[in-house]
Amino acid sequence: MGALIGSVVGAVRAVVFGGLVFLVLQLVSITPLADIVEKSAPYRMLQTHVYTPLKNWVALSLSKQPQLHKQLNKVAEQWTQLGKFMDPNITRLYNINQLPNVNQGRTVHLPNGVSIAAGDDQVSERELKLGASILTQVSVSILKENLGVTPQNTNIALFSSKQSYAAALAMAGVGSQDILSMAAKTGGITAGSDIWINWAALQSNSDLANIFTHEVTHAVFNQEGISDSVPTWVNEGTAWFDGMDAQRKVSSVEADQIIHANNEQLRRAAQSGQLLPLSASERDILNASYNVEWEDYRAVHELVQRYGLTKYREFIEGAKNGTEKSFLSNFGISMQTYTKNFEAEISQR
């Protein structure tokens, strides 16, 4: 029995050793010796029992990739639409300083003068309570951590259908050429301290957390008086940064899908020379083939990764007294230089 066990152990060692030797020789491209090893019994055993099954498994996995790519492309397309209707651009374009009152009488009142109301009569009590729960348990905590602020005296309205949301947009003064696209493909809009959430366009609770936190970030920027003084990429990039933190808190799987899909879309735009500068015009953004706001998100994410969240909070706080000055004092680089370097780096990735 001992001899048999010894033979088996010896054979296993020979297979492993032979395989490792072959792999090393392949790496260093010693062709003659590799040919000798390839003809050996241990290598043939490794080829039959390890390499071929592994190759077949990989092939099977790759055969499923089109379905995965289709799913990720759908995710990217959904969030691309959000990137084409930037809140500051839309409200400036149509001179919307405040959204009209659409409260249907059912309202949940929260601390600091924040309220969530039904924007149409089909919004249920459950949806109002879910919105309030996400806002208090997810959005507010993220804004405290990331920006050191919380929303004050903010009015939020929920819409149960794209039709009711479209009617409200028309009442607010949004142009007819944008209403249908916004109602079908975007999650919300903020003007001043007023927020409308297009519930019907969202797919999950994590999407809702993302949009709630994104829009509340815009409201806080308005309340802090910096919405118009910081560049759009900082405004939208910060809203996306907070929104993605919220999405990840509710569903890390869905957050990872969004990150992967948008990064891949951004990579393709860079490879095809379609990447826009961070200072792109509203018309260019509307005609873009990718989620432009994701580029803003990446620029903000890069700042936080490089200098830390504390420095970013201090930059936002200091922006009240001058964005360029605050950027330079907190990051030790001018905003113009940073954006130029970022655009160059992301174009090559």
Side-chain angles (χ1 to χ4, degrees):
M1 178 64 73
L4 177 60
I5 293 174
S7 298
V8 172
V9 171
V12 170
R13 285 177 176 170
V15 169
V16 174
F17 179 75
L20 290 175
V21 168
F22 175 73
L23 290 175
V24 171
L25 293 178
Q26 287 288 77
L27 288 173
V28 297
S29 299
I30 307 178
T31 306
L33 289 178
D35 289 340
I36 294 173
V37 174
E38 187 173 353
K39 296 176 183 177
S40 68
Y43 172 73
R44 290 198 302 272
M45 290 176 65
L46 187 69
Q47 177 86 7
T48 301
H49 298 292
V50 178
Y51 174 73
T52 300
L54 180 61
K55 182 182 71 173
N56 292 339
W57 176 81
V58 170
L60 179 63
S61 298
L62 289 176
S63 70
K64 299 179 180 179
Q65 290 303 303
Q67 182 178 357
L68 176 61
H69 285 308
K70 184 177 180 180
Q71 179 184 355
L72 291 176
N73 285 338
K74 184 177 180 181
V75 171
E77 176 60 23
Q78 175 195 353
W79 292 94
T80 295
Q81 302 308 319
L82 291 171
K84 292 188 177 184
F85 293 98
M86 298 182 176
D87 285 14
N89 291 349
I90 289 294
T91 54
R92 277 196 297 266
L93 179 63
Y94 294 110
N95 196 30
I96 303 172
N97 298 314
Q98 184 178 4
L99 297 175
N101 182 15
V102 293
N103 190 337
Q104 297 295 307
R106 287 174 293 115
T107 305
V108 175
H109 295 282
L110 301 170
N112 302 319
V114 178
S115 66
I116 299 181
D120 60 60
D121 57 11
Q122 296 302 309
V123 175
S124 67
E125 291 295 331
R126 184 194 68 82
E127 289 169 334
L128 286 174
K129 290 178 180 178
L130 176 59
S133 175
I134 286 176
L135 182 66
T136 55
Q137 296 180 27
V138 180
S139 303
V140 170
S141 63
I142 285 173
L143 262 68
K144 280 183 179 178
E145 180 179 356
N146 291 358
L147 300 178
V149 295
T150 57
Q152 307 288 323
N153 302 315
T154 304
N155 305 308
I156 303 171
L158 306 182
F159 294 87
S160 65
S161 71
K162 297 173 184 177
Q163 291 76 15
S164 63
Y165 184 60
L169 290 173
M171 186 168 57
V174 173
S176 57
Q177 68 272 26
D178 291 326
I179 287 177
L180 292 181
S181 292
M182 288 184 67
K185 300 173 182 177
T186 66
I189 186 172
T190 298
S193 293
D194 301 319
I195 298 172
W196 287 350
I197 301 294
N198 183 14
W199 194 295
L202 306 177
Q203 305 296 317
S204 65
N205 285 350
S206 71
D207 284 354
L208 186 63
N210 188 329
I211 294 299
F212 252 107
T213 310
H214 182 115
E215 298 301 338
V216 171
T217 300
H218 283 314
V220 164
F221 268 50
N222 293 336
Q223 292 162 7
E224 294 292 308
I226 60 173
S227 184
D228 292 330
S229 60
V230 298
T232 298
W233 73 264
V234 170
N235 197 333
E236 290 296 342
T238 305
W240 267 86
F241 185 85
D242 292 344
M244 287 306 302
D245 274 2
Q247 185 123 28
R248 188 176 294 107
K249 193 170 183 178
V250 176
S251 173
S252 60
V253 172
E254 291 183 21
D256 287 343
Q257 286 182 337
I258 293 171
I259 291 169
H260 181 86
N262 280 289
N263 280 342
E264 177 62 19
Q265 193 183 67
L266 195 66
R267 183 188 64 81
R268 291 198 300 267
Q271 286 184 337
S272 61
Q274 296 178 335
L275 209 60
L276 297 175
L278 292 174
S279 58
S281 68
E282 295 169 12
R283 181 175 297 276
D284 286 340
I285 291 169
L286 285 170
N287 294 326
S289 61
Y290 68 99
N291 181 356
V292 179
E293 287 189 19
W294 190 255
E295 189 176 347
D296 300 339
Y297 162 80
R298 289 283 297 272
V300 169
H301 187 269
E302 180 75 19
L303 274 174
V304 175
Q305 289 288 99
R306 188 180 300 180
Y307 300 102
L309 192 54
T310 299
K311 278 291 182 185
Y312 194 76
R313 279 198 304 267
E314 291 173 354
F315 156 61
I316 294 298
E317 174 66 24
K320 297 176 184 177
N321 301 314
T323 303
E324 295 278 356
K325 178 182 177 182
S326 181
F327 196 97
L328 181 60
S329 63
N330 282 287
F331 304 128
I333 184 174
S334 71
M335 181 176 287
Q336 183 178 9
T337 300
Y338 173 76
T339 56
K340 182 179 179 180
N341 291 345
F342 170 79
E343 290 165 1
E345 290 172 5
I346 203 168
S347 295
Q348 297 170 3
R349 290 177 186 175

